[in-house]
Amino acid sequence: MDLEKHPAAPAPAPAAGLRASDADRDRIAQILGDAVAEGRLTAEEHSERLDALYAVKTVGELEALVRDLPAPGGADVPSSAASSYAGAPGQAAETLVAVCSSSSRKGRWRPGAHTRAVSVMGDITIDLTQAVFEQQVTEINVTCVLGNVEVLVPENVTLRGYGSGILGNFEVRGMSRGETDPQAPVVIVRGFSLLGNIEARPKPGARLVDLARKLRKNLDG
């Protein structure tokens, strides 16, 4: 009998060809968010990699997007601003539901990293123009059936959209805005519309002012 103690073998890393999960994409989005906040990536590079993040399909393709960047918690410790933009791990998604009714989220509120909206013959408004962003990337997942969902963001927030509609409409306007400010939060709207309407757009005149100062204030308070 071999009584010699052997160290436990490390857990195997995910295979490069494995299909990427939502958690895999969230991890890569955090690394990209840290990198742009630290000045390792330009706003344009961050935007290009973020677009690729939701287009690629495997873990290996995701890892290629951050191969030249430090991992969170590595030798290069992120700045306090970058850390506050990473989002709270394991944070539960907020869900808004409207079934033959209406629902809204607006005013001074703190959206989590993930928000779900489900509209069935109902109206939902998600207004982020006065929101306090506590993470670099905020993702909104929308399902709309015979209803209407509207997402409003400040003009200087980077807006991205990935979705489709069947006999319905999925539209994200103003996606080129916000890229000139590397501190700007990124709002990603992903959705599916069946005989309904999903629309995301910047609200004219609404802007986040002095993003770096607000970020430090959120961290301190």
XYZ file of all heavy atoms in Angstrom, residues 5 14 17 19 92 125 129 140-141 143 146 150 162 205-206:
111
model
N 1.954 10.655 0.804
C 0.944 11.655 0.455
C 1.341 12.363 -0.829
O 2.483 12.761 -0.999
C 0.782 12.688 1.584
C 0.211 12.094 2.862
C 0.012 13.176 3.899
C -0.592 12.599 5.175
N -0.778 13.638 6.213
N -10.837 24.712 -18.490
C -11.830 24.403 -19.514
C -11.166 24.215 -20.874
O -10.253 24.946 -21.239
C -12.738 25.658 -19.511
C -12.518 26.294 -18.183
C -11.100 25.987 -17.819
N -11.962 24.284 -26.897
C -13.056 24.113 -27.837
C -14.428 24.038 -27.199
O -15.433 23.909 -27.903
N -17.914 25.100 -25.578
C -18.807 26.232 -25.823
C -18.802 27.162 -24.617
O -18.845 26.733 -23.467
C -20.230 25.739 -26.064
C -20.398 24.862 -27.292
C -20.502 25.642 -28.562
N -21.706 26.430 -28.652
C -22.171 26.955 -29.790
N -21.522 26.750 -30.925
N -23.264 27.683 -29.805
N -27.309 38.750 -7.762
C -28.520 38.242 -8.394
C -29.051 39.249 -9.395
O -28.962 40.463 -9.206
C -29.573 37.954 -7.323
N -40.427 50.034 -19.096
C -39.468 51.114 -19.336
C -38.313 50.961 -18.361
O -38.513 50.889 -17.149
C -40.114 52.493 -19.147
O -41.189 52.649 -20.075
C -39.081 53.602 -19.384
N -30.941 56.930 -17.220
C -30.365 58.263 -17.373
C -29.924 58.880 -16.049
O -29.060 59.752 -16.030
C -31.363 59.203 -18.075
O -32.607 59.224 -17.346
C -31.635 58.722 -19.493
N -28.615 43.892 -20.090
C -30.068 43.805 -19.966
C -30.569 42.767 -20.962
O -30.360 42.899 -22.170
C -30.732 45.166 -20.225
C -30.216 46.207 -19.219
C -32.251 45.055 -20.138
C -30.693 47.620 -19.495
N -31.203 41.719 -20.456
C -31.754 40.656 -21.300
C -33.271 40.812 -21.367
O -33.940 40.829 -20.334
C -31.395 39.285 -20.726
C -29.925 38.972 -20.875
O -29.487 38.483 -21.898
N -29.140 39.277 -19.845
N -37.068 39.749 -23.119
C -37.974 38.899 -23.879
C -39.305 39.630 -23.994
O -39.890 40.015 -22.978
C -38.188 37.537 -23.191
O -36.928 36.882 -23.038
C -39.116 36.654 -24.015
N -45.739 40.391 -27.893
C -46.918 41.248 -28.020
C -46.885 42.415 -27.031
O -47.920 42.849 -26.518
C -48.202 40.429 -27.808
C -48.544 39.402 -28.890
C -49.641 38.468 -28.404
C -48.987 40.095 -30.165
N -38.768 49.568 -23.601
C -37.924 50.702 -23.966
C -36.799 50.837 -22.944
O -37.036 50.814 -21.740
C -38.742 51.991 -24.014
C -37.936 53.208 -24.449
C -38.765 54.470 -24.507
O -39.616 54.671 -23.599
O -38.581 55.269 -25.435
N -27.628 43.226 -29.228
C -27.564 41.927 -29.894
C -28.927 41.271 -29.733
O -29.311 40.894 -28.620
C -26.479 41.033 -29.278
C -25.124 41.691 -29.197
C -24.758 42.428 -28.073
C -24.218 41.595 -30.247
C -23.525 43.047 -27.995
C -22.979 42.209 -30.178
C -22.632 42.938 -29.058
O -21.407 43.555 -28.985
N -29.849 64.962 -24.271
C -29.606 65.881 -23.163
C -29.232 65.218 -21.854
O -28.787 65.896 -20.914
N -29.396 63.891 -21.755
C -29.053 63.187 -20.511
C -27.608 62.696 -20.594
O -27.240 61.978 -21.516
C -29.995 62.011 -20.292
